[in-house]
């Protein structure tokens, strides 16, 4: 009979899956029914408490305070309007809103706390009490205690934000007590149950989709791979992630250990060291054409420093040595040694189409590049140390094709190319141009070591008004090396 009564009290509602996570929260302005001075003090203390905690990614409401400022006389009424709350959630991308209301009298304070869903209607938590005090510290501590209770009612630890086959991204990281090796369960919400009178969400029904293990963790996100599926269903975006109970203690120990480490692996960027070998040529065309080419070899050092998950800065430095020999035309000397170098400074943005850092990536970048061809000067043959430089613009795309293997392609050029000679041979150029194409593959040998191999094509060309109309330097080389993530 008792079970039947409970079922009568509970009503079945729509699918529980929401757009934003319940662990993305914001604190609404706190009103106290008087001049809001007490409310502001409590707000500051609770806001700092939430920011310092790990259960919620805090969404600042500074913009909304400015918006709601014009409604200061009836702010409490507006904060009780479901349509206003829905707009607030949309603007801040908050999955839950914490609404605190104070009613202050002489020596007595009525304290009420509600956790409201992004639709402005769902109530995930509600408590209220009467304190025989107007002390803001006591009021704040009461609210903190309730928030600690609410945290334990959230039905998941994180949600899936990107899927690539059996691998996926979770929207929580170290700050939420998850670490490399954590065992997790993926569930899909099917229904939520709401109390018909109190309008609070009291229960959820879910179906188990899979079990997985985490293999990479940053502060605010993690990567995991499925170990086993429960049935035929595959992972979906917004599926729930729960860390197994026996993993919590391990997570705390892992975090304590990680805090002692001076280096935070995998957070700063990458550095790649490459062997560059291939063919280089220089061609001069006019009334007649002559060219020289030869084998060149050297090393490249490519770096990428991550300012955020999406923004980065890179410095690439290259050095090559070799010797050109006559291909065609007439020369006073049929060979010429060269000492080539390149320097590229790049500022880029990394777009993640699937929201998954180790999934497809598209980079766009701008910067400055300098390419120097250090030929031994021979004015009779028309050769000297030559430099092309200018504003660099480019893009790079990469996509995984297997679990540990990905392909990449990069194209860039000098938007404003400048030509300079060490010794005057052709004088000032009429125009100059550049392009660089590189493509290849990469293999993840270890979590912080990637083996890379590709083919690079570089062209720099200058046009003149004299007897020699054009001079072009072209390199085609293999680029093989290792990329270290640090």
């Amino acid at each position: 009979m008792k079970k039947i009564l409970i079922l009568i009290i509970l009503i079945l509602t729509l699918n529980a899956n929401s757009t934003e996570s319940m662990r993305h929260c914001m604190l609404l302005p706190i009103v106290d029914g008087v001049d809001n001075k007490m409310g502001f003090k409590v707000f500051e203390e609770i806001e700092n408490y939430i920011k310092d905690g790990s259960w919620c990614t805090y969404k600042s409401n500074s913009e909304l305070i400015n918006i709601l400022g014009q409604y200061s006389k009836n702010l409490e009424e507006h904060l009780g309007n479901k349509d206003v709350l829905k707009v607030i959630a949309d603007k801040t991308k908050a999955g839950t809103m914490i609404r605190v209301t104070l009613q202050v009298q002489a020596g007595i304070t009525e304290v009420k706390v509600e956790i409201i869903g992004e639709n402005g209607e769902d109530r995930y938590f509600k408590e209220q009490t009467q304190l025989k005090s107007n002390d803001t510290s006591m009021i704040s501590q009461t609210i903190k205690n309730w928030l600690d209770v609410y945290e334990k009612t959230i039905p998941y630890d994180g949600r899936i934000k990107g899927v690539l086959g059996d691998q996926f991204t979770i929207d929580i990281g170290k700050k939420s007590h998850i670490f490399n090796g954590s065992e997790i369960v993926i569930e899909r919400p099917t229904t939520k149950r709401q109390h018909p009178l109190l309008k609070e969400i009291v229960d959820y029904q879910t179906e188990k989709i899979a079990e997985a293990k985490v293999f990479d963790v940053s502060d605010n996100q993690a990567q995991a791979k499925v170990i086993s599926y429960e049935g035929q269903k595959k992972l979906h975006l917004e599926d729930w992630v729960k860390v197994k109970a026996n993993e919590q203690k391990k997570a705390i120990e892992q975090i304590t250990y990680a805090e002692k480490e001076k280096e935070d692996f995998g957070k700063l960027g990458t550095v790649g060291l490459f062997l560059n070998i291939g063919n280089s040529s220089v061609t001069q065309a006019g009334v007649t054409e002559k060219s020289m080419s030869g084998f060149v070899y050297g090393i490249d050092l490519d770096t990428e420093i991550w300012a955020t998950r999406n923004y980065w800065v890179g410095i690439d430095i290259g050095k090559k040595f070799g010797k050109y020999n006559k291909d065609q035309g007439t020369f006073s000397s049929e060979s010429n040694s060269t000492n080539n170098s390149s320097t590229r400074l790049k500022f880029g943005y990394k777009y993640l189409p699937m929201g998954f850092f180790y999934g497809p990536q598209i980079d766009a970048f701008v910067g400055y590049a300098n390419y120097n061809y250090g030929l031994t000067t021979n004015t009779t043959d028309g050769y000297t140390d030559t430099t092309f430089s200018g504003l660099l613009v480019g893009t790079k795309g990469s996509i995984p094709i297997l679990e540990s293997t990905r392909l990449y392609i990069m194209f860039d050029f000098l938007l404003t190319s400048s030509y300079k000679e060490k010794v005057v041979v052709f004088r000032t150029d009429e125009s100059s141009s550049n392009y660089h194409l590189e493509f290849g593959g990469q293999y993840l040998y270890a979590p912080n070591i990637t083996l890379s191999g590709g083919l690079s094509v570089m062209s720099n060309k200058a046009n003149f008004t004299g007897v020699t109309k054009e001079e072009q330097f072209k390199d085609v080389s293999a680029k093989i090396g290792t990329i270290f993530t640090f």
Side-chain angles (χ1 to χ4, degrees):
M1 184 68 180
K2 184 177 180 180
K3 291 184 177 179
I4 295 175
L5 290 174
I6 292 174
L7 290 174
I8 292 174
I9 294 175
L10 301 176
I11 61 173
L12 199 63
T13 61
L14 298 175
N15 190 292
N17 202 10
S18 60
T19 304
E20 298 296 336
S21 173
M22 292 169 66
R23 293 187 179 273
H24 290 174
C25 69
M26 70 161 296
L27 178 63
L28 294 170
I30 298 178
V31 295
D32 57 30
V34 187
D35 56 7
N36 293 335
K37 289 183 179 179
M38 180 183 293
F40 182 73
K41 290 181 180 179
V42 174
F43 176 90
E44 284 188 316
E45 190 164 344
I46 298 302
E47 183 181 48
N48 291 332
Y49 176 75
I50 296 172
K51 287 180 177 179
D52 293 338
S54 62
W55 67 271
C56 166
T57 300
Y58 185 71
K59 302 290 186 178
S60 174
N61 67 353
S62 56
E63 177 187 352
L64 291 171
I65 291 176
N66 294 331
I67 295 173
L68 294 172
Q70 58 185 309
Y71 304 113
S72 57
K73 292 183 179 180
N74 56 351
L75 181 59
E76 185 175 358
E77 178 183 345
H78 284 85
L79 293 178
N81 186 313
K82 68 177 183 180
D83 294 324
V84 173
L85 293 177
K86 188 175 185 305
V87 171
I88 292 174
D90 288 341
K91 285 184 175 293
T92 60
K93 304 299 181 185
T96 53
M97 292 166 283
I98 303 169
R99 183 168 65 190
V100 177
T101 304
L102 306 177
Q103 292 295 330
V104 182
Q105 300 175 14
I108 297 175
T109 305
E110 292 274 355
V111 184
K112 180 179 179 182
V113 174
E114 295 174 282
I115 311 294
I116 306 167
E118 62 185 344
N119 62 5
E121 295 183 282
D122 288 345
R123 297 293 187 276
Y124 297 127
F125 182 85
K126 181 179 178 181
E127 284 288 351
Q128 64 183 74
T129 191
Q130 185 181 83
L131 300 177
K132 294 181 180 180
S133 172
N134 297 139
D135 181 60
T136 56
S137 296
M138 181 180 293
I139 296 169
S140 298
Q141 188 58 53
T142 301
I143 297 169
K144 292 175 187 178
N145 293 341
W146 284 337
L147 293 179
D148 289 341
V149 173
Y150 164 69
E151 175 187 357
K152 295 177 176 59
T153 69
I154 300 177
Y156 53 80
D157 296 301
R159 302 197 307 172
I160 293 178
K161 304 308 292 182
V163 179
L164 183 68
D166 292 336
Q167 296 185 25
F168 56 96
T169 303
I170 312 169
D171 62 355
I172 58 173
K174 289 179 181 177
K175 294 181 179 179
S176 300
H177 295 177
I178 193 171
F179 67 100
N180 285 345
S182 288
E183 296 179 358
I184 57 178
V185 175
I186 297 92
E187 295 182 353
R188 184 166 300 153
T190 55
T191 56
K192 62 184 177 184
R193 289 172 176 166
Q194 188 180 57
H195 195 289
L197 300 178
L198 303 178
K199 303 302 180 182
E200 290 183 42
I201 306 300
V202 293
D203 191 23
Y204 299 88
Q205 288 187 347
T206 62
E207 60 175 331
K208 184 178 178 182
I209 304 300
E211 292 191 2
K213 180 174 283 189
V214 175
F215 65 84
D216 185 72
V217 183
S218 62
D219 285 342
N220 297 307
Q221 74 166 12
Q223 320 293 331
K225 183 179 179 181
V226 173
I227 298 174
S228 63
Y229 288 96
E230 189 71 12
Q232 299 299 316
K233 293 185 177 181
K234 297 297 183 181
L235 305 181
H236 287 173
L237 296 179
E238 314 304 343
D239 280 349
W240 291 359
V241 173
K242 297 182 180 180
V243 181
K244 289 187 177 181
N246 61 354
E247 297 291 312
Q248 297 296 329
K249 184 178 179 181
K250 295 180 184 178
I252 295 173
E253 293 174 352
Q254 181 80 1
I255 291 170
T256 302
Y257 175 78
E259 288 174 348
K260 297 178 182 179
E261 294 294 313
K262 293 182 179 180
E263 295 183 2
D264 201 1
F265 165 73
K267 302 298 190 316
L268 300 180
T270 61
V271 57
L273 185 63
F274 302 91
L275 174 64
N276 201 319
I277 54 176
N279 179 268
S280 181
S281 65
V282 54
T283 302
Q284 295 177 356
V287 178
T288 60
E289 182 175 310
K290 60 181 182 180
S291 64
M292 302 180 77
S293 65
F295 176 78
V296 292
Y297 61 92
I299 58 173
D300 287 348
L301 181 68
D302 297 350
T303 64
E304 186 175 296
I305 309 301
W306 302 328
T308 67
R309 187 166 176 254
N310 299 102
Y311 292 95
W312 55 269
V313 60
I315 301 175
D316 303 341
I317 301 172
K319 193 73 172 177
K320 288 188 204 177
F321 305 90
K323 185 177 183 180
Y324 292 114
N325 294 299
K326 170 186 173 181
D327 277 340
Q328 62 175 327
T330 302
F331 296 89
S332 63
S333 176
E334 296 187 353
S335 65
N336 193 310
S337 61
T338 187
N339 181 349
N340 301 342
S341 63
S342 64
T343 303
R344 292 148 57 87
L345 175 63
K346 300 179 292 184
F347 301 90
Y349 174 80
K350 190 182 301 293
Y351 171 62
L352 307 172
M354 299 180 66
F356 181 44
F357 190 82
Y358 293 99
Q361 299 179 353
I362 301 174
D363 293 77
F365 56 87
V366 296
Y368 171 82
N370 181 291
Y371 305 107
N372 175 257
Y373 297 90
L375 282 77
T376 301
T377 298
N378 185 327
T379 55
T380 302
D381 292 331
Y383 293 115
T384 188
D385 188 301
T386 303
T387 301
F388 295 82
S389 61
L391 177 64
L392 180 71
V393 177
T395 184
K396 178 181 178 181
S398 68
I399 185 171
I401 56 173
L402 295 173
E403 181 178 341
S404 302
T405 306
R406 63 194 302 125
L407 299 178
Y408 75 91
I409 184 170
M410 176 169 59
F411 177 79
D412 56 71
F413 62 96
L414 294 180
L415 186 63
T416 57
S417 178
S418 173
Y419 169 87
K420 290 183 180 180
E421 300 174 338
K422 183 177 181 180
V423 175
V424 176
V425 176
F426 301 114
R427 299 184 182 277
T428 306
D429 63 307
E430 222 180 28
S431 64
S432 61
S433 61
N434 155 275
Y435 74 83
H436 170 231
L437 174 66
E438 184 179 324
F439 57 91
Q442 297 174 339
Y443 174 73
L444 185 64
Y445 177 76
N448 65 329
I449 300 176
T450 300
L451 305 180
S452 179
L455 184 69
S456 174
V457 180
M458 171 79 73
S459 172
N460 282 282
K461 184 169 64 174
N463 299 307
F464 308 97
T465 57
V467 176
T468 299
K469 300 295 183 182
E470 176 185 289
E471 182 178 39
Q472 181 179 23
F473 295 85
K474 189 172 184 179
D475 292 347
V476 179
S477 57
K479 189 174 178 180
I480 303 169
T482 304
I483 301 171
F484 299 93
T485 303
F486 61 94

